[in-house]
Amino acid sequence: MLALRVARGAHPLVQTRRLLVAAAAAGVGFLLLCTLGYAVGHPERSSASVLRLLWCVLPLAATVQFAVAVARTDPSTRPRPGLSSIGLGPARLTAIAAASTAVACTLGSVVALLFYLHLRGDITGLPFDGAAADLLAADQPIPLAAALTLLAVLPVVAATAAALALRPRTAPAPPEGAERPMPSGLPWGVALVAVGLAVETYAGRSGAGDALPLPGRFDGNPAGVLAGWVLTAVGLAMAGPGIVHGCGRLLQAVRPGAARLLAGRVLMDEARRIGRPLGVVSAVLSGTLAATTLHQEGTGPGAFGPLTGLGATLVLACTTATLLTAALESRQSRAHTTEALLRIGAPPTALRSAALLRVGVLLAVFLPLTWVVAELAALPLTG
């Protein structure tokens, strides 16, 4: 009840972010229900149904990442002086954030269930002249327990992830004058990217493995290609913080001025916060570019069905929204520092120049990296 009261009294922008989480949860819930409908309508293709269910993990993971990012930037769950005296300590605020995340995802799941039942004709008759009847197995009864179990996965996982991300923790203070250490995931990330590209190359050239049946006729490539892309995506996500940290060091090299020093220090301090979402966006964009290249070359799938398009849109939209939310969280964490700089007479133009430098160096590094990974991922399948 307290979580509902906090959600009702939040700022309109905070409410908008929660509604976006609910919309993403509705998309994921609809994909899961469509997978259940395929399994009910094709009981002889159990392995294909399992693979379709596994394919839904990608948009589900992207939605969970977005939900956690929204929970981290929620001002109503941020510790403030005086709240502990009324029983709202860090642990209670973490529980409220997890409950708010669960409420938003549950709302989306309910919308998905109602929309799915409407398209099947279980509520008001078949809409659109029954165009979706075959896709949703409208002639077969849907097991309600299985549908509710699938719809409960996202709220439970998202709430658990939010609770783990926001749980109270104490970190030892660094020695006076010492820098923050460089993120340690860069070597492992590079290794995973190399392994993923190697797996894609082997699977694409040898045709190893069976074709992966994905929703919407995106089923012409071996399963090893998708496995290689997943490894590549995980590698880019792991390498993202280290790359951002290196960009910060690059800005401060060779006799930097005040703007470069400020921009580089901010990137080094915020490397872990924005590096991982930036690496995930780079992986998603590289996969999108590779799929577009295959489609143009005529070696990819002949057509993208509606469910494939929905899943790809969810992944792209959620990862982009997560990056923007992480940037907002980074800005909020620097609010006191920015106010202090303005109080001591720092010109606002210097702060804007530092922000432009940060954006410029990140684009200059990640855009070519995304293009190179996309070309290398598409090369085995186009050759």
Side-chain angles (χ1 to χ4, degrees), residues 7-83:
R8 186 180 60 183
H11 192 273
L13 290 178
V14 178
Q15 299 282 28
T16 302
R17 292 197 293 267
R18 289 172 178 164
L19 288 178
L20 290 176
V21 172
V28 173
F30 185 75
L31 282 178
L32 291 172
L33 290 175
C34 290
T35 302
L36 177 62
Y38 179 87
V40 171
H42 303 83
E44 73 282 358
R45 303 178 183 176
S46 58
S47 59
S49 300
V50 172
L51 289 175
R52 285 171 175 259
L53 185 61
L54 291 177
W55 180 81
C56 293
V57 172
L58 295 179
L60 188 145
T63 303
V64 169
Q65 184 191 27
F66 178 43
V68 171
V70 170
R72 291 175 64 95
T73 57
D74 194 339
S76 62
T77 58
R78 189 175 302 131
R80 292 184 297 275
L83 291 181

Side-chain angles (χ1 to χ4, degrees), residues 229 281-297 304 316 366-379 382:
W229 181 83
V281 169
S282 177
V284 171
L285 289 179
S286 65
T288 304
L289 291 176
T292 303
T293 301
L294 295 177
H295 184 69
Q296 293 174 350
E297 293 284 340
F304 290 93
L316 184 60
F366 276 92
L367 285 182
L369 175 63
T370 302
W371 179 80
V372 169
V373 172
E375 291 294 321
L376 292 176
L379 184 61
T382 57

Side-chain angles (χ1 to χ4, degrees), residues 115-136:
F115 185 66
Y116 180 78
L117 294 177
H118 172 67
L119 290 181
R120 279 175 46 89
D122 295 335
I123 299 179
T124 58
L126 282 174
F128 309 115
D129 297 328
D134 294 336
L135 181 64
L136 305 181

Side-chain angles (χ1 to χ4, degrees), residues 276-380:
R276 196 173 302 278
L278 194 55
V280 172
V281 169
S282 177
V284 171
L285 289 179
S286 65
T288 304
L289 291 176
T292 303
T293 301
L294 295 177
H295 184 69
Q296 293 174 350
E297 293 284 340
T299 57
F304 290 93
L307 299 184
T308 304
L310 175 60
T313 301
L314 279 174
V315 172
L316 184 60
C318 288
T319 52
T320 304
T322 301
L323 176 59
L324 295 178
T325 306
L328 176 62
E329 181 187 5
S330 175
R331 181 181 179 183
Q332 291 175 350
S333 66
R334 299 194 312 270
H336 296 293
T337 303
T338 302
E339 293 174 0
L341 289 175
L342 293 175
R343 281 199 304 267
I344 64 176
T349 55
L351 300 180
R352 288 194 290 268
S353 299
L356 290 177
L357 282 173
R358 294 196 301 270
V359 174
V361 72
L362 290 178
L363 290 177
V365 171
F366 276 92
L367 285 182
L369 175 63
T370 302
W371 179 80
V372 169
V373 172
E375 291 294 321
L376 292 176
L379 184 61

Side-chain angles (χ1 to χ4, degrees), residues 222-240:
V225 174
L226 183 61
W229 181 83
V230 170
L231 288 176
T232 303
V234 173
L236 285 175
M238 291 183 63

